[in-house]
Amino acid sequence: MAHRIDGRKLGRATDHRIALFRNLVTDLLRHERIITTEAKAREVKGLAEKMITLGKKGDLHARRQALAFVYDRAIVEKLFDNLGPRYAGRAGGYSRMVKIGPRMGDGARMAQLELLGEEA
């Protein structure tokens, strides 16, 4: 039985999978929009929203937690200086996943993961 098992393995070893998620979250925060497979987008969405929540907190402990996960210091600065204040009035739901159809090569289901603007 697989009770209380959460997350997808995506056919990767644990360290590879964690590195993949860290890269995708870093790129999402950098570009505010990424295109990836639907399964990866579903996994990354929650991690990215946790990083934005840390950016909203804005204290030193939250900054260090974000630096432990996000690869680029400049992205952490953007997270705390721009994205945190942008979503200060929102109680979650900072991103949107839009399904965009199958990939040409292998037919994998693709999705676009994007951060929402300050309106809405």
Side-chain angles (χ1 to χ4, degrees):
M1 286 191 272
H3 295 302
R4 297 177 56 109
I5 304 296
D6 191 23
R8 292 165 179 82
K9 291 189 177 180
L10 299 174
R12 290 167 168 80
T14 304
D15 53 349
H16 186 187
R17 187 171 54 251
I18 292 169
L20 170 74
F21 291 158
R22 289 176 68 183
N23 278 319
L24 286 172
V25 169
T26 302
D27 285 343
L28 177 62
L29 295 175
R30 176 180 291 126
H31 302 293
E32 300 189 15
R33 176 178 295 144
I34 59 172
I35 295 176
T36 184
T37 63
E38 195 176 317
K40 290 177 193 170
R42 286 180 191 272
E43 291 298 314
V44 167
K45 183 175 181 180
L47 296 171
E49 296 209 356
K50 286 177 186 172
M51 292 299 114
I52 293 173
T53 302
L54 290 175
K56 283 175 59 176
K57 287 182 183 176
D59 59 350
L60 180 62
H61 182 58
R63 187 176 292 265
R64 286 178 175 165
Q65 285 178 313
L67 280 168
F69 191 79
V70 176
Y71 282 122
D72 193 353
R73 284 185 178 271
I75 301 304
V76 174
E77 288 178 17
K78 176 183 178 181
L79 179 62
F80 281 80
D81 295 341
N82 299 341
L83 297 178
R86 181 199 300 183
Y87 297 114
R90 270 182 107 85
Y94 315 116
S95 60
R96 167 191 307 135
M97 187 180 77
V98 180
K99 298 176 186 178
I100 57 174
R103 183 162 53 197
M104 269 316 229
D106 59 356
R109 295 177 3 196
M110 299 298 286
Q112 175 176 305
L113 190 60
E114 59 188 0
L115 298 180
L116 298 176
E118 55 264 6
E119 73 278 348

